[in-house]
Coordinates of all heavy atoms in Angstrom, one line a residue:
M1 N 29.7 11.8 7.8 CA 28.9 12.5 6.8 C 27.6 11.7 6.5 O 27.6 10.5 6.4 CB 29.7 12.7 5.5 CG 29.1 13.5 4.5 SD 30.4 14.5 3.8 CE 29.4 15.6 2.8
N2 N 26.5 12.4 6.2 CA 25.3 11.7 5.9 C 25.2 11.1 4.6 O 25.6 11.8 3.6 CB 24.1 12.7 6.1 CG 23.8 13.1 7.5 OD1 24.2 12.4 8.4 ND2 23.1 14.2 7.7
Q3 N 24.8 9.9 4.5 CA 24.6 9.2 3.2 C 23.3 9.7 2.6 O 22.3 9.8 3.3 CB 24.6 7.7 3.4 CG 25.9 7.1 3.9 CD 26.9 6.9 2.8 OE1 26.5 6.9 1.6 NE2 28.2 6.9 3.1
P4 N 23.3 9.9 1.3 CA 22.0 10.3 0.7 C 21.1 9.0 0.7 O 21.6 7.9 0.5 CB 22.4 10.7 -0.8 CG 23.8 10.1 -1.0 CD 24.4 10.0 0.4
T5 N 19.8 9.3 0.9 CA 18.9 8.2 0.9 C 18.6 7.7 -0.5 O 18.5 8.5 -1.4 CB 17.6 8.6 1.6 OG1 17.0 9.7 0.9 CG2 17.7 8.9 3.0
Q6 N 18.5 6.4 -0.6 CA 18.3 5.8 -1.9 C 16.8 5.7 -2.2 O 16.1 4.9 -1.5 CB 19.0 4.4 -1.9 CG 19.0 3.7 -3.2 CD 20.0 4.3 -4.2 OE1 20.7 5.2 -3.9 NE2 20.0 3.7 -5.4
I7 N 16.3 6.4 -3.1 CA 14.9 6.4 -3.5 C 14.8 5.3 -4.6 O 15.5 5.3 -5.6 CB 14.5 7.7 -4.1 CG1 14.7 8.9 -3.1 CG2 13.0 7.7 -4.5 CD1 13.9 8.8 -1.8
S8 N 13.8 4.4 -4.4 CA 13.6 3.4 -5.4 C 12.1 3.1 -5.5 O 11.3 3.5 -4.6 CB 14.3 2.1 -5.0 OG 13.8 1.6 -3.7
N9 N 11.7 2.5 -6.6 CA 10.3 2.1 -6.8 C 10.0 0.8 -6.2 O 10.9 0.0 -6.1 CB 10.0 2.0 -8.3 CG 10.0 3.4 -9.0 OD1 9.8 4.4 -8.4 ND2 10.3 3.4 -10.3
F10 N 8.8 0.6 -5.7 CA 8.4 -0.7 -5.1 C 7.0 -1.0 -5.4 O 6.2 -0.1 -5.7 CB 8.7 -0.7 -3.6 CG 8.0 0.4 -2.8 CD1 6.8 0.2 -2.3 CD2 8.7 1.6 -2.6 CE1 6.2 1.2 -1.5 CE2 8.1 2.6 -1.9 CZ 6.8 2.4 -1.3
T11 N 6.6 -2.2 -5.4 CA 5.3 -2.7 -5.7 C 4.7 -3.4 -4.5 O 5.3 -4.2 -3.9 CB 5.3 -3.6 -6.9 OG1 5.9 -2.9 -8.0 CG2 3.9 -4.0 -7.4
L12 N 3.5 -3.1 -4.2 CA 2.7 -3.7 -3.1 C 1.5 -4.5 -3.6 O 0.8 -4.0 -4.5 CB 2.3 -2.6 -2.1 CG 3.3 -1.8 -1.4 CD1 2.7 -0.7 -0.6 CD2 4.2 -2.7 -0.5
S13 N 1.3 -5.6 -3.0 CA 0.1 -6.4 -3.3 C -0.7 -6.3 -2.0 O -0.3 -6.8 -0.9 CB 0.5 -7.8 -3.6 OG -0.7 -8.6 -3.7
I14 N -1.9 -5.8 -2.1 CA -2.7 -5.5 -0.9 C -4.1 -6.3 -1.1 O -4.8 -6.1 -2.1 CB -3.0 -4.0 -0.7 CG1 -1.7 -3.2 -0.7 CG2 -3.8 -3.8 0.5 CD1 -1.8 -1.8 -0.9
L15 N -4.4 -7.1 -0.1 CA -5.6 -7.8 -0.1 C -6.6 -7.1 0.8 O -6.3 -6.8 1.9 CB -5.4 -9.3 0.4 CG -6.6 -10.2 0.2 CD1 -6.9 -10.4 -1.3 CD2 -6.2 -11.6 0.8
V16 N -7.7 -6.6 0.2 CA -8.7 -5.8 0.9 C -10.1 -6.4 0.9 O -10.4 -7.1 0.0 CB -8.7 -4.3 0.4 CG1 -7.4 -3.6 0.5 CG2 -9.2 -4.3 -1.0
A17 N -10.8 -6.0 1.9 CA -12.2 -6.4 2.0 C -13.0 -5.6 0.9 O -12.7 -4.4 0.7 CB -12.8 -6.1 3.3
N18 N -13.8 -6.3 0.2 CA -14.5 -5.6 -0.9 C -15.7 -4.9 -0.4 O -16.9 -5.3 -0.5 CB -15.0 -6.7 -1.9 CG -15.3 -6.1 -3.3 OD1 -15.2 -4.9 -3.5 ND2 -15.8 -7.0 -4.1
R19 N -15.5 -3.7 0.3 CA -16.5 -2.9 0.9 C -16.4 -1.5 0.3 O -15.4 -1.0 -0.1 CB -16.3 -2.8 2.4 CG -16.6 -4.1 3.1 CD -16.4 -3.9 4.6 NE -15.7 -5.1 5.0 CZ -15.0 -5.1 6.1 NH1 -14.9 -4.1 6.9 NH2 -14.3 -6.2 6.4
A20 N -17.5 -0.8 0.4 CA -17.6 0.6 0.0 C -16.6 1.5 0.8 O -16.6 1.3 2.0 CB -19.0 1.2 0.1
G21 N -15.8 2.3 0.1 CA -14.9 3.2 0.8 C -13.5 2.6 1.1 O -12.7 3.3 1.6
A22 N -13.3 1.3 0.8 CA -12.0 0.7 1.2 C -10.9 1.4 0.3 O -9.8 1.7 0.9 CB -12.0 -0.8 0.9
L23 N -11.1 1.6 -0.9 CA -10.0 2.2 -1.8 C -9.8 3.6 -1.4 O -8.7 4.1 -1.3 CB -10.4 2.1 -3.3 CG -9.4 2.7 -4.3 CD1 -8.1 2.0 -4.1 CD2 -10.0 2.6 -5.7
S24 N -10.9 4.3 -1.0 CA -10.8 5.7 -0.6 C -9.9 5.8 0.7 O -9.1 6.7 0.8 CB -12.2 6.3 -0.3 OG -12.1 7.6 0.2
R25 N -10.1 4.9 1.6 CA -9.3 4.9 2.9 C -7.8 4.6 2.6 O -6.9 5.2 3.2 CB -9.9 3.9 3.9 CG -11.1 4.4 4.5 CD -11.6 3.5 5.6 NE -12.4 2.3 5.1 CZ -13.6 2.4 4.7 NH1 -14.3 3.5 4.7 NH2 -14.2 1.3 4.2
I26 N -7.6 3.7 1.7 CA -6.2 3.4 1.3 C -5.5 4.6 0.6 O -4.4 5.0 1.0 CB -6.1 2.1 0.4 CG1 -6.5 0.9 1.3 CG2 -4.7 2.0 -0.2 CD1 -6.7 -0.3 0.5
T27 N -6.1 5.2 -0.4 CA -5.6 6.3 -1.1 C -5.5 7.5 -0.1 O -4.6 8.3 -0.3 CB -6.3 6.7 -2.3 OG1 -7.7 6.9 -2.0 CG2 -6.2 5.5 -3.4
G28 N -6.4 7.7 0.8 CA -6.4 8.7 1.7 C -5.2 8.7 2.6 O -4.6 9.7 3.0
L29 N -4.8 7.4 3.0 CA -3.6 7.3 3.8 C -2.4 7.8 3.1 O -1.5 8.5 3.7 CB -3.4 5.8 4.1 CG -2.2 5.4 4.9 CD1 -2.6 4.2 5.8 CD2 -1.0 5.0 4.1
F30 N -2.3 7.6 1.8 CA -1.1 8.1 1.0 C -1.2 9.6 0.9 O -0.2 10.3 1.1 CB -1.2 7.5 -0.4 CG -0.5 6.2 -0.5 CD1 -1.1 5.0 0.0 CD2 0.8 6.0 -1.0 CE1 -0.5 3.8 0.0 CE2 1.4 4.8 -1.1 CZ 0.7 3.7 -0.6
S31 N -2.4 10.2 0.6 CA -2.4 11.7 0.5 C -2.2 12.4 1.8 O -1.5 13.4 1.8 CB -3.8 12.1 -0.1 OG -4.8 11.8 0.7
K32 N -2.7 11.9 2.9 CA -2.5 12.5 4.2 C -1.0 12.6 4.6 O -0.5 13.5 5.2 CB -3.2 11.7 5.3 CG -4.6 11.9 5.4 CD -5.2 11.2 6.5 CE -6.6 10.7 6.2 NZ -7.1 9.8 7.3
R33 N -0.2 11.6 4.2 CA 1.2 11.5 4.5 C 2.1 12.1 3.4 O 3.3 12.0 3.6 CB 1.6 10.1 4.9 CG 1.0 9.7 6.2 CD 0.9 8.2 6.4 NE 0.3 7.9 7.7 CZ -1.0 7.9 8.0 NH1 -1.9 8.3 7.1 NH2 -1.5 7.6 9.2
G34 N 1.5 12.5 2.3 CA 2.3 13.1 1.3 C 3.1 12.1 0.4 O 4.0 12.5 -0.3
F35 N 2.6 10.8 0.4 CA 3.2 9.8 -0.5 C 2.5 9.8 -1.8 O 1.3 10.1 -1.9 CB 3.1 8.4 0.2 CG 3.8 8.3 1.5 CD1 3.2 7.6 2.5 CD2 5.0 8.9 1.8 CE1 3.8 7.4 3.8 CE2 5.6 8.8 3.0 CZ 5.0 8.1 4.0
N36 N 3.3 9.4 -2.9 CA 2.7 9.4 -4.2 C 2.4 8.0 -4.6 O 3.2 7.1 -4.4 CB 3.7 10.0 -5.2 CG 3.1 10.3 -6.5 OD1 1.9 10.6 -6.6 ND2 3.8 10.1 -7.6
I37 N 1.3 7.8 -5.3 CA 0.9 6.5 -5.9 C 1.2 6.6 -7.4 O 0.7 7.5 -8.0 CB -0.6 6.2 -5.7 CG1 -0.9 6.0 -4.2 CG2 -0.9 4.9 -6.4 CD1 -2.4 5.9 -3.9
D38 N 2.2 5.8 -7.8 CA 2.5 5.9 -9.3 C 1.6 5.1 -10.1 O 1.1 5.6 -11.2 CB 4.0 5.3 -9.4 CG 5.0 6.1 -8.7 OD1 4.8 7.4 -8.6 OD2 6.0 5.6 -8.2
T39 N 1.2 3.9 -9.8 CA 0.2 3.1 -10.5 C -0.7 2.4 -9.5 O -0.3 2.1 -8.4 CB 0.8 2.0 -11.4 OG1 1.5 1.1 -10.6 CG2 1.8 2.7 -12.4
L40 N -1.9 2.1 -10.0 CA -2.9 1.4 -9.1 C -3.8 0.6 -10.0 O -4.3 1.0 -11.0 CB -3.7 2.5 -8.4 CG -4.8 2.1 -7.5 CD1 -4.2 1.4 -6.3 CD2 -5.7 3.3 -7.1
S41 N -4.0 -0.7 -9.6 CA -4.8 -1.6 -10.3 C -5.6 -2.4 -9.2 O -5.0 -2.9 -8.3 CB -4.0 -2.5 -11.1 OG -4.8 -3.5 -11.8
V42 N -6.9 -2.5 -9.4 CA -7.8 -3.2 -8.4 C -8.7 -4.2 -9.2 O -9.2 -3.9 -10.2 CB -8.6 -2.3 -7.6 CG1 -9.5 -3.0 -6.6 CG2 -7.8 -1.2 -7.0
G43 N -8.8 -5.4 -8.6 CA -9.8 -6.4 -9.2 C -10.3 -7.3 -8.1 O -9.6 -7.6 -7.2
P44 N -11.5 -7.9 -8.3 CA -12.0 -8.8 -7.4 C -11.2 -10.1 -7.4 O -10.7 -10.5 -8.5 CB -13.5 -9.0 -7.8 CG -13.5 -8.7 -9.2 CD -12.4 -7.6 -9.4
M45 N -11.2 -10.8 -6.3 CA -10.6 -12.2 -6.3 C -11.6 -13.2 -6.8 O -12.7 -13.2 -6.4 CB -10.2 -12.5 -4.8 CG -9.2 -11.6 -4.2 SD -7.6 -11.8 -4.8 CE -7.2 -13.5 -4.2
A46 N -11.1 -14.1 -7.7 CA -12.0 -15.1 -8.3 C -12.3 -16.1 -7.2 O -13.5 -16.6 -7.2 CB -11.3 -15.8 -9.4
E47 N -11.4 -16.4 -6.3 CA -11.7 -17.4 -5.2 C -12.7 -16.9 -4.2 O -13.4 -17.7 -3.6 CB -10.3 -17.8 -4.5 CG -9.3 -18.3 -5.4 CD -8.4 -17.2 -6.0 OE1 -8.4 -16.1 -5.5 OE2 -7.8 -17.4 -7.1
D48 N -12.6 -15.6 -3.9 CA -13.5 -15.1 -2.8 C -14.0 -13.7 -3.2 O -13.2 -12.7 -3.1 CB -12.7 -15.0 -1.5 CG -13.5 -14.6 -0.3 OD1 -14.7 -14.3 -0.5 OD2 -13.0 -14.6 0.8
P49 N -15.2 -13.6 -3.7 CA -15.7 -12.3 -4.1 C -15.8 -11.2 -3.0 O -16.1 -10.1 -3.3 CB -17.1 -12.6 -4.7 CG -17.4 -14.0 -4.3 CD -16.2 -14.7 -3.8
S50 N -15.7 -11.6 -1.8 CA -15.7 -10.6 -0.7 C -14.4 -9.9 -0.5 O -14.3 -8.9 0.2 CB -16.1 -11.3 0.6 OG -15.1 -12.1 1.1
L51 N -13.4 -10.3 -1.3 CA -12.0 -9.7 -1.3 C -11.6 -9.1 -2.6 O -12.0 -9.7 -3.7 CB -11.0 -10.7 -0.8 CG -11.2 -11.3 0.6 CD1 -10.2 -12.4 0.9 CD2 -11.1 -10.2 1.7
S52 N -10.8 -8.1 -2.6 CA -10.2 -7.6 -3.9 C -8.7 -7.5 -3.7 O -8.2 -7.3 -2.6 CB -10.7 -6.2 -4.1 OG -12.1 -6.2 -4.5
R53 N -8.0 -7.7 -4.8 CA -6.5 -7.5 -4.8 C -6.2 -6.2 -5.4 O -6.7 -5.8 -6.5 CB -5.9 -8.7 -5.6 CG -4.4 -8.5 -5.9 CD -3.5 -9.1 -5.0 NE -3.8 -10.4 -4.6 CZ -3.5 -11.0 -3.5 NH1 -2.9 -10.3 -2.5 NH2 -3.8 -12.2 -3.2
L54 N -5.4 -5.4 -4.7 CA -5.0 -4.1 -5.1 C -3.4 -4.2 -5.4 O -2.7 -4.6 -4.5 CB -5.3 -3.1 -4.0 CG -5.2 -1.6 -4.3 CD1 -6.3 -0.9 -3.5 CD2 -3.8 -1.1 -4.0
I55 N -3.0 -3.9 -6.6 CA -1.6 -3.8 -6.9 C -1.2 -2.3 -7.1 O -1.8 -1.6 -7.9 CB -1.2 -4.6 -8.2 CG1 -1.7 -6.0 -8.1 CG2 0.3 -4.5 -8.5 CD1 -1.0 -6.9 -7.0
M56 N -0.2 -1.9 -6.3 CA 0.1 -0.5 -6.3 C 1.6 -0.3 -6.4 O 2.4 -1.1 -5.7 CB -0.4 0.1 -5.0 CG 0.1 1.5 -4.6 SD -0.5 2.0 -3.0 CE -2.3 1.9 -3.1
T57 N 2.1 0.7 -7.1 CA 3.5 1.0 -7.1 C 3.7 2.4 -6.6 O 2.8 3.3 -6.8 CB 4.2 0.9 -8.5 OG1 3.5 1.9 -9.4 CG2 4.1 -0.5 -9.1
S58 N 4.8 2.6 -5.9 CA 5.1 3.9 -5.3 C 6.6 4.0 -5.3 O 7.3 3.1 -5.7 CB 4.5 4.0 -3.9 OG 4.7 5.3 -3.4
S59 N 7.1 5.1 -4.7 CA 8.6 5.2 -4.6 C 8.9 5.9 -3.3 O 8.1 6.6 -2.7 CB 9.1 6.1 -5.8 OG 8.5 7.3 -5.8
G60 N 10.1 5.6 -2.8 CA 10.6 6.2 -1.6 C 11.8 5.4 -1.1 O 12.2 4.4 -1.7
D61 N 12.4 5.9 0.0 CA 13.5 5.2 0.6 C 13.0 4.1 1.4 O 11.8 3.8 1.5 CB 14.4 6.2 1.4 CG 13.6 6.9 2.5 OD1 12.5 6.5 2.8 OD2 14.2 7.8 3.1
E62 N 13.9 3.3 2.0 CA 13.6 2.2 2.8 C 12.7 2.5 4.0 O 11.7 1.8 4.3 CB 14.9 1.5 3.3 CG 14.7 0.1 3.8 CD 14.3 -0.9 2.7 OE1 14.6 -0.7 1.6 OE2 13.6 -1.9 3.1
V63 N 12.9 3.6 4.7 CA 12.1 4.0 5.8 C 10.7 4.3 5.4 O 9.7 3.9 6.0 CB 12.7 5.3 6.5 CG1 11.8 5.8 7.6 CG2 14.1 4.9 7.1
T64 N 10.5 5.0 4.3 CA 9.2 5.4 3.7 C 8.5 4.1 3.3 O 7.3 3.9 3.7 CB 9.3 6.3 2.5 OG1 10.0 7.5 2.9 CG2 8.0 6.6 1.9
K65 N 9.1 3.2 2.7 CA 8.5 1.9 2.3 C 8.0 1.1 3.5 O 6.9 0.7 3.5 CB 9.5 1.1 1.5 CG 9.0 -0.2 1.0 CD 9.9 -1.0 0.1 CE 11.4 -0.9 0.4 NZ 12.2 -1.8 -0.5
N66 N 8.8 1.0 4.5 CA 8.4 0.3 5.7 C 7.2 1.0 6.4 O 6.3 0.3 6.9 CB 9.6 0.1 6.7 CG 10.6 -0.9 6.1 OD1 10.3 -1.8 5.4 ND2 11.9 -0.6 6.5
Q67 N 7.3 2.3 6.4 CA 6.2 3.1 7.1 C 4.9 2.9 6.3 O 3.8 2.7 6.9 CB 6.5 4.6 7.1 CG 5.4 5.4 7.8 CD 5.7 6.9 7.8 OE1 6.7 7.3 7.3 NE2 4.9 7.6 8.5
I68 N 4.9 2.9 5.0 CA 3.7 2.6 4.2 C 3.1 1.3 4.5 O 1.9 1.1 4.7 CB 4.0 2.8 2.7 CG1 4.2 4.3 2.4 CG2 2.9 2.2 1.8 CD1 4.7 4.5 0.9
I69 N 4.0 0.2 4.5 CA 3.5 -1.1 4.8 C 2.9 -1.2 6.1 O 1.8 -1.8 6.3 CB 4.7 -2.1 4.6 CG1 5.1 -2.2 3.1 CG2 4.3 -3.5 5.1 CD1 6.4 -2.9 2.8
K70 N 3.5 -0.7 7.2 CA 3.0 -0.7 8.5 C 1.6 0.0 8.6 O 0.7 -0.4 9.3 CB 4.0 -0.2 9.5 CG 5.2 -1.1 9.7 CD 6.2 -0.4 10.6 CE 7.4 -1.2 10.8 NZ 8.4 -0.6 11.6
Q71 N 1.5 1.2 8.0 CA 0.3 2.0 8.1 C -0.8 1.3 7.3 O -2.0 1.3 7.8 CB 0.5 3.4 7.5 CG 1.5 4.2 8.3 CD 0.8 4.6 9.7 OE1 -0.3 4.9 9.8 NE2 1.7 4.5 10.7
L72 N -0.5 0.7 6.2 CA -1.6 0.0 5.4 C -2.1 -1.2 6.2 O -3.3 -1.5 6.3 CB -1.0 -0.5 4.1 CG -0.9 0.5 3.0 CD1 -0.1 -0.1 1.8 CD2 -2.2 1.0 2.5
A73 N -1.2 -1.9 6.9 CA -1.6 -3.1 7.7 C -2.5 -2.8 8.8 O -3.3 -3.6 9.3 CB -0.3 -3.8 8.2
K74 N -2.5 -1.5 9.3 CA -3.3 -1.1 10.4 C -4.8 -0.7 10.0 O -5.7 -0.7 10.8 CB -2.7 0.2 11.1 CG -1.5 -0.1 11.9 CD -1.0 1.2 12.5 CE 0.3 1.0 13.2 NZ 0.7 2.3 13.8
L75 N -5.0 -0.5 8.7 CA -6.3 -0.2 8.2 C -7.3 -1.3 8.4 O -6.9 -2.5 8.1 CB -6.2 0.2 6.7 CG -5.5 1.6 6.4 CD1 -5.5 1.8 4.9 CD2 -6.2 2.7 7.1
Y76 N -8.5 -1.0 8.7 CA -9.6 -2.0 9.0 C -9.8 -2.9 7.8 O -10.0 -4.1 8.0 CB -10.8 -1.2 9.4 CG -12.0 -2.1 9.6 CD1 -12.1 -2.9 10.8 CD2 -13.1 -2.1 8.7 CE1 -13.2 -3.7 11.0 CE2 -14.2 -2.9 8.9 CZ -14.2 -3.7 10.1 OH -15.3 -4.5 10.3
D77 N -9.9 -2.3 6.6 CA -10.3 -3.1 5.4 C -9.2 -3.9 4.9 O -9.4 -4.8 4.0 CB -10.8 -2.1 4.3 CG -12.1 -1.4 4.7 OD1 -12.9 -2.1 5.3 OD2 -12.2 -0.2 4.5
V78 N -7.9 -3.7 5.3 CA -6.8 -4.4 4.7 C -6.6 -5.7 5.4 O -6.5 -5.8 6.6 CB -5.5 -3.5 4.8 CG1 -4.3 -4.3 4.4 CG2 -5.6 -2.3 4.0
V79 N -6.6 -6.8 4.6 CA -6.4 -8.2 5.1 C -4.9 -8.6 5.1 O -4.5 -9.2 6.1 CB -7.2 -9.2 4.3 CG1 -7.0 -10.6 4.7 CG2 -8.7 -8.8 4.3
D80 N -4.2 -8.2 4.1 CA -2.8 -8.6 3.9 C -2.1 -7.6 3.0 O -2.6 -7.1 2.1 CB -2.7 -10.0 3.3 CG -1.3 -10.5 3.4 OD1 -0.5 -10.3 4.3 OD2 -0.9 -11.3 2.4
V81 N -0.8 -7.3 3.4 CA 0.1 -6.4 2.6 C 1.4 -7.2 2.3 O 2.0 -7.7 3.2 CB 0.4 -5.1 3.3 CG1 1.2 -4.2 2.4 CG2 -0.9 -4.4 3.7
K82 N 1.8 -7.2 1.0 CA 3.0 -7.9 0.7 C 3.8 -7.0 -0.3 O 3.2 -6.4 -1.2 CB 2.8 -9.2 0.0 CG 2.2 -10.3 0.9 CD 2.0 -11.6 0.2 CE 1.4 -12.6 1.1 NZ 1.1 -13.8 0.4
L83 N 5.1 -7.0 -0.1 CA 6.0 -6.3 -1.0 C 6.4 -7.3 -2.1 O 6.8 -8.4 -1.8 CB 7.2 -5.9 -0.2 CG 8.3 -5.1 -1.0 CD1 7.7 -3.7 -1.4 CD2 9.5 -4.8 -0.1
I84 N 6.1 -7.0 -3.4 CA 6.4 -7.9 -4.4 C 7.5 -7.3 -5.4 O 7.7 -6.1 -5.3 CB 5.2 -8.3 -5.2 CG1 4.4 -7.2 -5.8 CG2 4.3 -9.2 -4.3 CD1 3.2 -7.6 -6.7

């Protein structure tokens, strides 16, 4: 019998290049795939003004979470993605 998938909230820390359109490309990835962004916070890095830290929460099962992380890592502007 199929086990129901466990939906849970997760938080991602994403380091992105501070360029025009970077946030639009990241949020576009979510909208194209039908994923929901629950919260979003962005700020420049004090150590390196050419980078910004994006903290995002979303929800989904383990497969969805892994897919989001892999797809984000492929984006040109994304430097690093971490699950926190």
Side-chain angles (χ1 to χ4, degrees):
M1 186 140 191
N2 288 341
Q3 293 283 337
T5 57
Q6 186 74 357
I7 304 297
S8 62
N9 291 332
F10 55 91
T11 304
L12 297 173
S13 172
I14 308 166
L15 191 61
V16 298
N18 197 4
R19 290 184 225 157
L23 181 60
S24 176
R25 284 185 280 282
I26 290 170
T27 56
L29 181 141
F30 276 74
S31 65
K32 284 182 211 173
R33 288 159 181 79
F35 301 141
N36 191 37
I37 297 172
D38 296 327
T39 64
L40 179 67
S41 177
V42 183
M45 297 287 293
E47 304 86 21
D48 187 355
S50 68
L51 299 174
S52 291
R53 169 90 49 208
L54 191 147
I55 305 293
M56 169 186 300
T57 61
S58 188
S59 58
D61 60 8
E62 195 67 27
V63 173
T64 301
K65 178 173 35 175
N66 290 332
Q67 182 182 4
I68 288 171
I69 292 169
K70 288 176 186 176
Q71 292 293 318
L72 284 169
K74 289 180 183 180
L75 290 178
Y76 175 74
D77 295 317
V78 174
V79 176
D80 189 34
V81 181
K82 291 182 182 173
L83 185 64
I84 55 174

